[in-house]
Amino acid sequence: MEGAKVYTQGTDGSWCKATVLAALGGGKYRVQPEPWEGAKDGTDNVSNQSLDPVEVDASNMEGGTLPFQNSSMPENGFPDMTTLDHLHEAALLHNLRVRFFAGGCPYTYTADIVIAVNPYAWFPQLYTDEM
């Protein structure tokens, strides 16, 4: 599992990107947190946690292991989340975050379900006087 790209849960409950440095046994891992896209200040820029290596216990998580990151995340995220390699809470939230900050479109699909994230902006290319 060393080198695997995963998500860990921060002390505040938010998800953080990380790379597994070592499996320690008993569901425990040593991971290197990674900054989110656009982070510039030496923290993960979401939960303000340090990017220093940490030990995490995944034994209480669903499946007893850390959720994997999607390997081929497009620059603007996946428009349909059913195409995610790994479909779980952390991957869904990360994809919505990428799409929100890419600024392209506030709508993301999960098959026939539309998820709209309020962009607090007007999109003239999406909405016209006729709509």
Side-chain angles (χ1 to χ4, degrees):
M1 180 123 180
E2 286 83 6
K5 300 289 188 181
V6 296
Y7 295 100
T8 62
Q9 214 160 11
T11 55
D12 62 355
S14 65
W15 291 102
C16 307
K17 292 170 38 175
T19 300
V20 175
L21 299 175
L24 306 174
K28 294 185 180 180
Y29 299 90
R30 183 141 185 89
V31 300
Q32 173 67 58
E34 299 174 5
W36 289 102
E37 297 83 356
K40 297 176 179 68
D41 62 358
T43 68
D44 72 4
N45 207 31
V46 174
S47 60
N48 291 321
Q49 294 182 1
S50 167
L51 295 178
D52 296 330
V54 294
E55 186 177 310
V56 295
D57 185 358
S59 63
N60 296 328
M61 297 180 79
E62 188 174 324
T65 188
L66 297 170
F68 288 105
Q69 292 181 34
N70 290 293
S71 59
S72 57
M73 176 71 75
E75 186 175 313
N76 293 332
F78 290 95
D80 185 344
M81 291 199 283
T82 60
T83 60
L84 292 170
D85 298 336
H86 304 287
L87 192 59
H88 48 72
E89 178 185 359
L92 295 175
L93 293 173
H94 182 212
N95 188 58
L96 290 172
R97 181 185 195 283
V98 168
R99 290 185 55 75
F100 179 84
F101 286 112
C105 183
Y107 304 114
T108 302
Y109 291 88
T110 302
D112 292 336
I113 300 168
V114 177
I115 299 170
V117 177
N118 188 342
Y120 302 104
W122 185 252
F123 286 92
Q125 71 275 19
L126 292 178
Y127 310 112
T128 63
D129 291 335
E130 292 82 35
M131 293 182 100

